[in-house]
Amino acid sequence: MRFPSMLLVVLATALALAGPARSDTVRLEPSVHRLGEWVDGMVSDGKSIWVAEFGQRTLAQLNATYGVARRLNLPGIPDKIDIGRDGALYLLLEVEDRIQVWQRAPASSGGRPIVTLEPKTCAPALAAGGGPFVWVLTGCGSDSDAALFKVDTRTRGDTGTMPRVPLGAGGGGVLMVRQGHVWAAMDRLSVIDETTLAVRTSDIHGKLGPRPLFTALAADADTVYAGVASETARLVVAIDPATLQETARAPVDQMINAIVADAQHVVALGSEGRIFVLAPRTLALERVIDLTVPKVEPRAAMIRNGDLLLTDFRLENANERGALLVLHGWQPPPRR
């Protein structure tokens, strides 16, 4: 009878080493750094954090303590923002009935438009790529043709002169550039080679519920993570970049507005302010965070110096002003 006893000890030890059996739920108070009227995208250039202030047509540069060091006035309404490998800032700007790709070079006091899209074009996403290129996703819905444009940041013009990758009918969507490939996700997922423009299309959308929509993308060293909303589910999904197939999923109770990932955690931010901390690759739920700030609407997030930063589009009882929220101590206990 000794062998079964030893087996039980081994099994118990293995379970303990596998990590916590369930997550915890905590309520945390972020530090609140008020910004302008309605805030959206956020990036870091390694020195400063830049935030697009949607409602007042400005770009805010934050200092080391997250105060506003200065603001740049913009010729249109800013939306998505990214940082290029050249160190320049790139934004999508709504200027009257057109969308422009706008560039601010490092150390410049202003900026310039480099590409103007056709009138009434919907452009939901922008991402900086390799070399002197940025990518713009267009598409207004099921009745229009979605496309991905490769924009050479050294030139000026319109999208008629740019390489165009057709992606079928669709609207909305998110973009991410990873290891020489552009991930374009709307109601389906396509991966485009930056150099050849060859397209791989995944069939993962057929396994995510009726009428799926990809709402966020992020990646760590070997896995891609997506937020997906369908008529029946809200999910965070792990995807193998080689096969474009799902490797894990985590159901959540809010649509995911943003995801950030590093070697230790995958952090998914719900549209109503709930934060889900998941294990890399397996997506085991490790922590659920509810914020003390009411009615948070996350738009962008990053992990910086161990803190979790997120932009809040607007704050309750603050005259529709947005904010940067900073969370300390958000990480769950270490996995055993």
Side-chain angles (χ1 to χ4, degrees), residues 294-329:
K295 297 186 178 181
V296 171
E297 185 181 338
R299 288 300 181 95
M302 69 175 66
I303 298 171
R304 182 175 184 268
N305 299 329
D307 292 334
L308 178 63
L309 281 59
L310 60 140
T311 54
D312 182 9
F313 185 64
R314 56 183 178 271
L315 284 173
E316 182 75 358
N317 300 322
N319 296 322
E320 298 293 293
R321 291 174 62 82
L324 174 72
L325 307 184
V326 180
L327 270 179
H328 314 286

Side-chain angles (χ1 to χ4, degrees), residues 44-177:
S44 172
D45 62 8
K47 297 178 181 179
S48 300
I49 292 174
W50 298 84
V51 179
E53 295 173 314
F54 182 94
Q56 61 189 46
R57 301 189 178 199
T58 53
L59 182 64
Q61 181 183 16
L62 307 187
N63 59 29
T65 58
Y66 307 122
V68 177
R70 62 171 171 160
R71 283 189 167 94
L72 301 179
N73 293 317
L74 300 172
I77 299 171
D79 191 358
K80 303 306 178 188
I81 180 173
D82 205 353
I83 186 84
R85 295 186 187 179
D86 56 1
L89 293 168
Y90 294 95
L91 289 86
L92 288 179
L93 289 186
E94 182 181 340
V95 183
E96 297 179 351
D97 65 342
R98 296 197 177 197
I99 301 293
Q100 291 182 346
V101 179
W102 188 86
Q103 177 197 61
R104 179 193 177 273
S108 170
S109 60
R112 66 182 185 119
I114 55 174
V115 170
T116 300
L117 279 64
E118 293 299 317
K120 299 182 180 179
T121 298
C122 302
L126 169 145
F133 301 104
V134 295
W135 298 85
V136 177
L137 179 64
T138 66
C140 296
S142 58
D143 295 331
S144 68
D145 291 330
L148 182 68
F149 287 93
K150 185 177 184 179
V151 178
D152 190 329
T153 63
R154 298 165 298 185
T155 61
R156 302 179 71 165
D158 56 47
T159 48
T161 65
M162 303 294 172
R164 177 183 184 275
V165 182
L167 297 176
V174 287
L175 279 184
M176 177 180 69
V177 178

